[in-house]
């Protein structure tokens, strides 16, 4: 299966099994908006809990808040979003399709990079053991030509973006001979700036002064509460404020399922530090956040850092943690050193003094900020895409054929265990329900007595349940059950009395937290 086919299959699987549905589907859906179903919301909640516990519970100097989505409109002037939260967009006059100019260029660069990778692979096959990749890349004319082009396009693009040179961006698209993927033509409009914030009106009077915005990031709710939290919590710099919540952006290029949505959820933490110490903390959080990802267990090879080519208006250093999605390495989380831009501007725009008096140095200052910002939905997508597997079953005692299994790490799996009486009679359902009653307070369980045991295993595999507990006739005699593990399909017979401890050891979130 190609990565593209895998991605389509995954989207269908998410819908079929109650993970993710298109929003308001009975009205044909709403572009780039999705609803989480019964299993998707469990998975999302587990991810959020993992993040919250890792940030707030495990760090004595980080506290969590929950600020409102609506904020005073001046907030967004101070943050720079009214003036600078824009994407450069371009339309193709023939297809009438709209694109982000920088995305068109990045896709063009990605194609050139792919061409070079193919050249390298071809040569590797041809030359076998004796292949010297570095020498090949330094001498092959095709690879050299593409590499030069990549360099040129990237340098020009970054300069145009930094200088807000919209005509330059258009010229670069034309010079690179980029065509619209729909019409196949190069009939492009001018490039225009498009603000991504959604507006709405507060109260019943529709005047300009009542225009408010749906927050495009949760971070500002933290900045405006800096003094409230610092004073009431008696926090000492360095300290952090964490928050999980919805954010809204009127994305132009909204595709790739839940990767880029118009309504999404962020988990953000602002870490307030002494001016001059921000680079030390930037390094600290870059490492700590990667470790959080690695502890999930999806393989170090699937993550990489990507330093920003163009720094946002508030940053003096920034990088992304990228994940290897089915459509390539893309941003999953951003780590930004935001200087004193936000607190300083809120001080200016609100007229309220936002300063911290440092008892160690006996001086007052505006703290600098290092931010970690991760999308909940992108993390859901990363986990589901990595988990989705189709495989041929060769295990004794299991029905043959193929199975779809979601290998979601057990501590994050939506359902932790399925309780399955072998047959629907002879007192087995009653025994099974006894076990359910004992375990349901600590684990999300499903009870299922319908269909053959093989079919029930398959249903649980398809939703990523790590353990199936089967109650058979022997259970009535010696109070033991079989525990089947999802990935290996291995079964072990264990006393009912030891189930709770066994499951705690294998599925609890602290397994991930202890790796941090
Ligand atoms: N406060 C900084 C900030 O918002 P960002 O890089 O624009 O930075 C942070 O966003 C994270 O939020 C991204 O790494 C991504 O995971 C997530 N995110 C951003 N836009 C998104 C969208 N349209 N749909 C889903 N997730 C998004």
């Amino acid at each position: 299966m190609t990565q593209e086919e895998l991605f389509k299959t995954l989207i269908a699987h998410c819908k079929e099994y109650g993970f993710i549905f298109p929003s308001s589907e009975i009205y044909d859906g709403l572009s780039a908006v999705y609803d989480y179903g019964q299993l998707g919301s469990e998975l999302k909640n587990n991810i959020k809990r993992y993040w919250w516990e890792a940030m707030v519970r495990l760090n004595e100097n980080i506290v969590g808040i929950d600020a409102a989505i609506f904020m005073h409109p001046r907030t967004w002037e101070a943050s720079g979003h009214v003036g600078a939260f824009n994407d450069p967009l371009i339309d193709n006059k023939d297809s009438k399709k709209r694109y982000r100019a920088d995305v068109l260029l990045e896709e063009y660069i990605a194609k050139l990079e792919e061409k070079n990778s193919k050249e390298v692979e071809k040569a590797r096959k041809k030359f076998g053991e004796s292949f010297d990749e570095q020498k090949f890349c330094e001498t092959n004319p095709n690879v050299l030509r593409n590499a030069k082009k990549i360099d040129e396009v990237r340098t020009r693009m970054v300069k145009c973006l930094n200088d807000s040179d919209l005509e330059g961006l258009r010229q670069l698209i034309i010079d690179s001979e980029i065509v619209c993927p729909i019409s196949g033509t190069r009939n492009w409009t001018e490039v225009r700036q498009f603000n991504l914030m959604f507006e709405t009106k507060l109260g019943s009077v529709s005047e300009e002064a009542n225009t408010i915005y749906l927050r495009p990031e949760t971070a500002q709710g933290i900045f405006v509460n800096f003094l409230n939290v610092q004073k009431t919590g008696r926090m000492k710099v360095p300290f952090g404020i964490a928050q999980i919540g919805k954010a809204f952006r009127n994305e132009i290029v909204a595709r790739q399922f839940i990767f880029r949505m118009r309504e999404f959820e962020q988990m953000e933490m602002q870490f307030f530090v002494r001016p001059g110490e921000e680079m030390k903390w930037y390094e600290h959080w870059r490492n700590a956040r990667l470790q959080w990802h690695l502890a999930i267990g999806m393989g170090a090879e699937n993550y990489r850092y990507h330093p920003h080519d163009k720094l946002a208006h508030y940053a003096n250093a920034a990088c992304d943690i990228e994940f290897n999605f089915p459509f390539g390495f893309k941003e999953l989380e951003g780590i930004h050193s935001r200087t004193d831009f936000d607190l300083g501007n809120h001080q200016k725009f609100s007229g309220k003094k936002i300063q911290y008096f440092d008892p160690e140095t006996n001086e007052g200052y505006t703290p600098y900020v290092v931010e970690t910002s991760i999308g909940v939905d992108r993390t859901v997508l990363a986990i589901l895409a990595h988990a989705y597997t189709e495989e041929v079953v060769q295990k004794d005692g299991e029905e043959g054929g193929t199975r779809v299994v979601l290998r979601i790490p057990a501590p994050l799996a939506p359902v932790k265990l399925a309780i399955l009486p072998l047959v629907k009679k002879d007192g087995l359902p009653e025994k099974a329900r006894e076990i359910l009653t004992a375990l349901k307070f600590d684990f999300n369980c499903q009870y299922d007595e319908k269909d053959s045991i093989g079919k029930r295993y398959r249903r649980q595999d398809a939703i990523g349940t790590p353990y199936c507990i089967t109650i058979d006739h022997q259970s009535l005699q010696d109070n033991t059950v079989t525990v089947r593990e999802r990935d290996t399909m291995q079964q072990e017979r264990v006393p009912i009395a030891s189930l709770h401890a066994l499951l705690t050891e294998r599925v609890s979130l602290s397994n991930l937290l202890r790796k941090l």
Side-chain angles (χ1 to χ4, degrees), residues 85 216-219 249 251 258-266 268 270 308 314 320 331-334 336 338 371 373-378:
F85 194 52
E217 61 173 13
T218 59
R249 295 182 191 177
E251 299 281 2
I258 55 169
F259 181 80
R260 196 178 298 285
M261 299 199 288
R262 299 203 161 104
E263 173 180 341
F264 57 100
E265 211 165 354
Q266 289 184 316
E268 297 200 298
Q270 312 295 322
H308 282 197
Y314 48 74
D320 296 334
E331 175 185 349
L332 176 56
E333 169 155 13
H336 313 122
R338 292 178 78 126
E371 165 187 75
S373 175
I374 171 173
V376 180
D377 313 273
R378 284 191 192 176

Side-chain angles (χ1 to χ4, degrees), residues 313-331:
H313 56 275
Y314 48 74
N316 70 357
C319 75
D320 296 334
I321 294 177
E322 293 188 335
F323 181 77
N324 190 9
F325 288 98
F327 37 84
F329 274 94
K330 294 272 184 239
E331 175 185 349

Side-chain angles (χ1 to χ4, degrees), residues 6 87 91 197 201 236 238 254 274 283 421 468 491 514:
L6 168 78
D87 275 347
D91 293 63
M197 281 198 295
K201 300 282 175 201
K236 288 202 173 60
R274 277 192 196 138
E283 281 308 314
C468 288
Q491 298 194 15
R514 277 183 220 289

Side-chain angles (χ1 to χ4, degrees), residues 106 193 265:
E106 268 162 17
Q193 291 288 24
E265 211 165 354

Side-chain angles (χ1 to χ4, degrees), residues 104-287:
L104 279 181
L105 288 163
E106 268 162 17
E107 284 174 356
Y108 173 70
I109 290 172
K111 268 191 203 138
L112 291 175
E113 284 172 341
E114 203 183 311
K115 269 191 193 165
N116 273 1
S117 307
K118 280 192 181 144
E119 292 276 0
V120 170
E121 280 323 303
K122 219 165 71 188
R124 194 190 306 283
K125 273 195 195 131
K126 191 167 154 195
F127 296 114
E129 295 258 300
S130 62
F131 180 62
D132 179 341
E133 182 172 336
Q134 193 183 343
K135 194 161 165 217
F136 177 78
C137 291
E138 284 166 4
T139 51
N140 180 277
N142 290 343
V143 173
L144 284 173
R145 199 177 43 249
N146 288 338
K148 186 162 170 261
K149 189 90 205 150
I150 289 169
D151 217 39
E152 269 171 28
V153 173
R154 184 168 283 135
T155 310
R156 271 178 72 183
M157 178 180 78
V158 170
K159 183 163 181 349
C160 290
L161 289 172
N162 281 330
D163 298 349
S164 297
D165 177 4
L166 302 182
E167 183 43 42
L169 271 181
R170 178 174 190 271
Q171 198 53 50
L172 182 55
I173 289 172
I174 289 168
D175 292 348
S176 307
E177 302 186 347
I178 294 174
V179 297
C180 165
I182 308 287
S183 67
T185 71
R186 292 181 218 148
N187 198 2
W188 297 109
T189 61
E190 300 303 303
V191 177
R192 282 164 295 142
Q193 291 288 24
F194 176 79
N195 194 290
L196 300 184
M197 281 198 295
F198 281 105
E199 287 179 11
T200 186
K201 300 282 175 201
L202 192 70
S204 58
V205 193
S206 69
E207 286 168 10
E208 185 69 15
N210 294 324
T211 299
I212 57 166
Y213 302 98
L214 298 187
R215 65 181 179 198
E217 61 173 13
T218 59
Q220 298 304 324
I222 293 178
F223 291 124
V224 298
N225 278 298
F226 168 76
L227 283 181
N228 284 338
V229 175
Q230 189 271 317
K231 293 205 163 115
T232 56
R234 295 181 298 121
M235 308 301 291
K236 288 202 173 60
V237 166
F239 74 91
I241 306 179
Q243 172 167 225
I244 299 177
K246 288 269 175 133
F248 304 83
R249 295 182 191 177
N250 199 1
E251 299 281 2
I252 307 164
V253 185
R255 51 189 152 93
Q256 288 160 331
F257 194 33
I258 55 169
F259 181 80
R260 196 178 298 285
M261 299 199 288
R262 299 203 161 104
E263 173 180 341
F264 57 100
E265 211 165 354
Q266 289 184 316
M267 306 188 279
E268 297 200 298
M269 193 277 297
Q270 312 295 322
F271 200 70
F272 300 95
V273 305
R274 277 192 196 138
E277 292 190 355
E278 71 273 17
M279 282 308 153
K280 178 181 93 185
W281 287 109
Y282 173 70
E283 281 308 314
H284 168 86
W285 283 111
R286 239 168 62 101
N287 295 335

